[in-house]
Amino acid sequence: MIIENSQAAKTVLNESSSRTLLARGGSLMMVEVTFAKGGIGEIHSHDAHEQISYIVKGSFEVKVGEETRILKAGDSFYAGYNIPHGVKALEDSVILDVFNPFREDFLEKQE
């Protein structure tokens, strides 16, 4: 699968964030999430998905399990099954999320 960003499915999540579905195949899915300063990815966990995230641009306050850190462009984190995690954008920021297996719920919510 080859995805050009101009053709990728984009979904507005709320007034401060949007999601772009990038490549997916096999059991993997890659998603770009853009946040305005102050945007929040609420604390949540996945019982059926692992997640690795990479900070592409900006900075976030990131909580994974009991640990909270400030991460900036180039940093990353892993949230395994049932591990609570969430982010708050400290400036306009972009995060790249990779899920295993892919998020069928994201496919259902496309615009």
Side-chain angles (χ1 to χ4, degrees):
M1 170 180 273
I2 297 175
I3 300 291
E4 294 180 12
N5 193 274
S6 63
Q7 301 300 312
K10 296 175 181 14
T11 302
V12 173
L13 302 173
N14 55 48
E15 65 281 347
S16 62
S17 62
S18 63
R19 175 176 59 225
T20 303
L21 294 181
L22 303 173
R24 66 181 185 278
S27 63
L28 296 172
M29 173 182 273
M30 186 166 53
V31 178
E32 179 184 80
V33 187
T34 301
F35 289 88
K37 180 179 180 178
I40 294 176
E42 297 291 342
I43 299 289
H44 64 285
S45 62
H46 311 279
D47 61 355
H49 301 93
E50 295 177 283
Q51 176 179 339
I52 288 180
S53 298
Y54 174 79
I55 311 306
V56 176
K57 172 186 168 190
S59 60
F60 291 89
E61 179 181 280
V62 176
K63 182 172 177 69
V64 179
E66 297 299 317
E67 186 175 6
T68 302
R69 303 266 299 268
I70 303 299
L71 299 183
K72 59 186 182 339
D75 296 337
S76 58
F77 67 89
Y78 167 75
Y81 298 107
N82 298 310
I83 301 297
H85 58 285
V87 300
K88 178 180 180 182
L90 302 177
E91 57 190 293
D92 291 349
S93 300
V94 177
I95 191 166
L96 186 68
D97 294 329
V98 177
F99 296 97
N100 177 42
F102 71 87
R103 300 283 305 266
E104 290 185 29
D105 58 322
F106 285 5
L107 298 176
E108 296 166 1
K109 295 176 184 175
Q110 289 182 22
E111 289 185 321

